[in-house]
Amino acid sequence: MASNKRIVVKVGTNVLTREDRTLDKLIFRQVVVQLVKLIRAGYSPVLVSSGAVGAGRSIIGDSEIADEAIRRQVLSAVGQTSLMKSYFELFIEYDIVCAQVLATKEDFSEGEHYQNMVNCFEGLLGQGIVPIVNENDVVSLTELMFTDNDELAGLTATMIGAERLILLSNVDGVYGPGGDVVHHVPQNDHSVRAHISTEKSGMGRGGMLSKFEIATATAAQGIETIIANGKHDNIILDILSGKAIGTRFLTEELAK
Ligand code: GLU
């Protein structure tokens, strides 16, 4: 039975890295400390973390491998270990165990793979362990890839029966026509969609349009979804305390 305090937080590569593309250790700590506070408040968080390719790049440089797919495999294989090392060391300072869950698209299609994934999440959450999820970039290539980790985060939120999904990137939310952040997107309201730029910023694979679509779909399933700026201090806790921050995609329940 899913706990109603399950929450999925996704952090993008642009949150975890600085402008010079190295990992921002302070942000890692801020994310972990906020998740620790959530756990102490009775939440069961799942963290979906990008940054493997970015971390790999900060360790071995851009790599001279000409084949783009192989380069991505090598960078993510190197970087994933350092990502997990950072998370493990931070969580353990607070006596919390975290675990690496690497997923492919197949794990979310009906059948045995799906059930294995459910069992894995239930097993970890049941032990009070924080699952840290990323796409298995080493084996998922081309057509078998998730659109981006926002899609993976949305699927994870649905799979575990989360009450909320928080997508953190380096922008403050979805901007409306006047240039201000739109704080609430009611169900089936696609009016702001037309104003979203299709441009992608920085190193992440996703963009605002795909975030918008995932957030709309996840909210339609009854999971409140928030797009906000992960560079801001205390952002996760501020969202949960109801501050007017980021863009909230309302569920049917919340719109009443
Ligand atoms: N899985 C990729 C990584 O860890 C990120 C994918 C994305 O940007 O959404 O580097």
Side-chain angles (χ1 to χ4, degrees), residues 13 50-53 134-135 137 148-149 204-205:
T13 303
S50 300
V53 173
N134 195 2
E135 178 163 15
D137 297 303
D148 48 44
N149 266 357
R205 218 161 66 220

Side-chain angles (χ1 to χ4, degrees), residues 163-214:
E163 66 171 23
R164 275 198 191 89
L165 166 65
I166 300 180
L167 300 174
L168 297 177
S169 72
N170 60 346
V171 288
D172 289 345
V174 180
Y175 290 95
D180 294 330
V181 170
V182 177
H183 286 303
H184 294 107
V185 177
Q187 285 246 314
N188 301 319
D189 180 350
H190 296 274
S191 60
V192 285
R193 193 183 182 282
H195 307 286
I196 297 174
S197 152
T198 48
E199 267 173 46
K200 291 176 184 176
S201 62
M203 290 197 281
R205 218 161 66 220
M208 191 46 86
L209 202 53
S210 85
K211 275 188 183 46
F212 183 89
E213 265 151 26
I214 282 147

Side-chain angles (χ1 to χ4, degrees), residues 31-227:
V31 168
V32 169
V33 166
Q34 290 181 83
L35 295 183
V36 170
K37 288 184 179 168
L38 287 190
I39 293 166
R40 291 184 180 159
Y43 284 88
S44 295
V46 171
L47 178 63
V48 175
S49 178
S50 300
V53 173
R57 200 177 276 123
S58 74
I59 296 166
I60 59 167
D62 245 325
S63 152
E64 285 149 11
I65 301 167
D67 184 297
E68 204 184 313
I70 300 174
R71 193 168 61 236
R72 184 170 158 271
Q73 286 176 302
V74 169
L75 290 175
S76 61
V78 171
Q80 184 64 27
T81 59
S82 110
L83 262 194
M84 286 312 298
K85 179 174 181 281
S86 302
Y87 284 126
F88 180 82
E89 285 175 351
L90 287 165
F91 273 112
I92 214 71
E93 277 184 43
Y94 304 95
D95 293 324
I96 288 166
V97 177
C98 64
Q100 168 179 273
V101 178
L102 296 179
T104 59
K105 212 160 179 168
E106 229 185 350
D107 299 315
F108 289 88
S109 43
E110 302 247 314
E112 201 181 329
H113 284 280
Y114 188 90
Q115 195 51 49
N116 285 341
M117 206 52 161
V118 170
N119 293 347
C120 173
F121 279 122
E122 293 304 324
L124 291 168
L125 293 172
Q127 295 300 304
I129 296 169
V130 181
I132 302 184
V133 188
N134 195 2
E135 178 163 15
N136 192 347
D137 297 303
V138 171
V139 294
S140 65
L141 298 163
T142 56
E143 72 279 5
L144 294 174
M145 278 158 72
F146 295 102
T147 315
D148 48 44
N149 266 357
D150 298 315
E151 183 187 18
L152 171 58
L155 291 168
T156 303
T158 306
M159 182 180 265
I160 67 160
E163 66 171 23
R164 275 198 191 89
L165 166 65
I166 300 180
L167 300 174
L168 297 177
S169 72
N170 60 346
V171 288
D172 289 345
V174 180
Y175 290 95
D180 294 330
V181 170
V182 177
H183 286 303
H184 294 107
V185 177
Q187 285 246 314
N188 301 319
D189 180 350
H190 296 274
S191 60
V192 285
R193 193 183 182 282
H195 307 286
I196 297 174
S197 152
T198 48
E199 267 173 46
K200 291 176 184 176
S201 62
M203 290 197 281
R205 218 161 66 220
M208 191 46 86
L209 202 53
S210 85
K211 275 188 183 46
F212 183 89
E213 265 151 26
I214 282 147
T216 308
T218 317
Q221 291 169 45
I223 301 168
E224 189 195 4
T225 302
I226 303 99
I227 296 176

